[in-house]
Amino acid sequence: MYQLLFRLFFCRMDPERAHRLAFGWIRCAAAVPGLRRVVAAVLAPGHPELRTEALGCRMSGPFGLAAGFDKNATGIDGLAMLGFDHVEIGTVTGEPQPGNPSPRLFRLVPDRALINRMGFNNDGSAAVAARLAARRAVFRPAVGVNIGKTKAVPDAEAVRDYVTSTERLARYADYLVVNVSSPNTPGLRALQATTRLRPLLTAVRAAADRTVPDRRVPLLVKIAPDLADADIDAVADLAVELGLDGIIATNTTLSRDGLTSDPALVQEPGGLSGAPLGERSLAVLRRLYARVGDRLTLVSVGGVETAEDVWQRILAGATLVQGYTGLVYHGPCWARAVHRGLAARLRASPYPTLAEAVGAAVRKAEV
């Protein structure tokens, strides 16, 4: 049914307008108590064998929704209703900003991919913090808060901008993510250089501890797939040195290798997500796990479509796995299908629990 609707309806609509419409439906369904109970019973029935402990949270499974879908924390319960075990909101910037001019989101249907140059359009950290403070949770997925740099803030003041967001948002986050890897904010990816990343992460860690003294808010950094292997190693080593809790790998890519869609669409500027990113994202994950082992929680995102994809990411070292573009192409039953298939793979495997499967393929290759 969803595939028919996608071809006949959503595919003919501007992608950003379609997103607003679909997300509006999700939020409306979650606002009706009887309806949300029925939807959750169908789409999020639960698989006890998939229960996951990560980043200080007990989750119903390892599969979550990546940042970018719910930028302003307006639909957390609706997304949990669809079956996502954790929801990462944002990216949120210190100050509100409209993002880049439209059109800024493009579907590459033959490649099951998206190109976006949204530019961190969001309501700003103060407004999002107020929304999270007022939230009366119906469902309780783990909530990650992804923060980035305000475009208008000079590079020299980037640390201050991240600290502002941290001070406003950390208390509402089950985990906090420093995003330095979007290709759509000028100069942002330069912050991945360890000489600039070290003071940024140190300042955010201190701000989180100062703002939330009664608990440690887990801190992660999100990296790009386009980093050279040596730079991936350097970020991994820095994360361990600074006592970070994890790394999210990966953001969108600037690469256009192997795409078959309309060349005019392929050449649109912005970050590419979806199926074509899968191979590189998996390679980055394997490299990270080989470098850090169990010292960090690794979250894999990029090109995840199926339960098999999620299973392979777990075997390669991911404790948590995220998707986004797959929701666009596979619809509201996507998380249910992933959970069902993942539970079947775990039962058929030699591993009693998901935790024991994490990194198994990398450890086996090293023997």
Side-chain angles (χ1 to χ4, degrees):
M1 177 65 74
Y2 177 79
Q3 294 302 322
L4 180 63
L5 281 172
F6 182 81
R7 289 195 302 269
L8 297 181
F9 183 56
F10 289 117
C11 217
R12 300 171 184 269
M13 189 183 297
D14 171 74
E16 192 171 352
R17 182 167 177 258
H19 172 85
R20 288 194 297 267
L21 180 62
F23 196 18
W25 289 346
I26 293 169
R27 293 196 303 269
C28 286
V32 181
L35 180 57
R36 70 172 173 248
R37 283 195 295 270
V38 170
V39 173
V42 173
L43 299 185
H47 296 272
E49 63 268 47
L50 298 183
R51 288 174 184 159
T52 300
E53 291 194 16
L55 302 173
C57 300
R58 293 182 177 179
M59 307 182 198
S60 54
F63 188 52
L65 188 65
F69 195 94
D70 186 359
K71 294 176 179 293
N72 294 306
T74 59
I76 294 169
D77 283 324
L79 296 168
M81 177 187 71
L82 298 187
F84 291 103
D85 304 310
H86 64 276
V87 175
E88 192 170 307
I89 66 159
T91 295
V92 183
T93 54
E95 304 303 324
Q97 58 184 30
N100 293 322
S102 298
R104 53 191 181 179
L105 182 62
F106 308 88
R107 297 189 202 92
L108 281 62
V109 177
D111 296 299
R112 303 187 310 284
L114 298 173
I115 290 174
N116 93 81
R117 53 172 181 266
M118 303 299 290
F120 289 169
N121 55 306
N122 73 105
D123 295 341
S125 57
V128 173
R131 192 169 292 128
L132 289 170
R135 177 175 175 246
R136 298 295 177 262
V138 176
F139 301 105
R140 297 191 179 276
V143 176
V145 177
N146 183 304
I147 59 174
K149 187 181 86 69
T150 305
K151 183 177 181 180
V153 168
D155 288 352
E157 298 179 23
V159 171
R160 175 191 59 77
D161 193 56
Y162 279 94
V163 166
T164 295
S165 293
T166 302
E167 291 172 341
R168 290 170 175 168
L169 292 163
R171 71 183 75 252
Y172 308 112
D174 289 311
Y175 66 88
L176 191 67
V177 182
V178 171
N179 185 352
V180 288
S181 51
S182 170
N184 299 316
T185 296
L188 185 73
R189 285 190 167 190
L191 294 175
Q192 292 176 114
T194 54
T195 53
R196 300 191 64 187
L197 190 57
R198 182 190 304 275
L200 171 59
L201 293 174
T202 300
V204 170
R205 176 74 272 164
D209 292 342
R210 183 173 62 250
T211 306
V212 193
D214 56 334
R215 70 178 175 96
R216 177 184 168 85
V217 179
L219 179 63
L220 299 86
V221 63
K222 187 169 185 175
I223 65 172
D226 305 322
L227 286 175
D229 287 348
D231 294 326
I232 293 170
D233 293 345
V235 172
D237 293 345
L238 179 64
V240 172
E241 176 193 334
L242 296 181
L244 262 63
D245 299 275
I247 298 175
I248 300 182
T250 61
N251 212 317
T252 57
T253 181
L254 293 173
S255 172
R256 298 294 189 266
D257 293 344
L259 300 180
T260 61
S261 296
D262 180 347
L265 283 177
V266 167
Q267 295 307 313
E268 288 287 351
L272 177 78
S273 64
L277 184 53
E279 185 175 342
R280 176 57 182 167
S281 183
L282 181 56
V284 172
L285 171 65
R286 287 182 178 132
R287 188 172 191 91
L288 284 170
Y289 187 78
R291 192 79 176 184
V292 306
D294 298 328
R295 291 178 291 175
L296 297 177
T297 296
L298 300 180
V299 183
S300 185
V301 56
V304 173
E305 293 191 284
T306 66
E308 179 63 18
D309 292 334
V310 175
W311 181 239
Q312 291 304 318
R313 302 299 173 98
I314 290 169
L315 293 177
T319 300
L320 301 176
V321 182
Q322 296 178 341
Y324 175 169
T325 304
L327 181 58
V328 175
Y329 285 102
H330 296 283
C333 296
W334 183 44
R336 182 184 69 173
V338 166
H339 283 115
R340 182 180 294 170
L342 184 60
R345 282 161 176 77
L346 178 61
R347 288 193 296 269
S349 79
Y351 310 109
T353 66
L354 273 184
E356 293 177 71
V358 172
V362 177
R363 293 193 299 272
K364 183 177 180 181
E366 292 175 343
V367 173

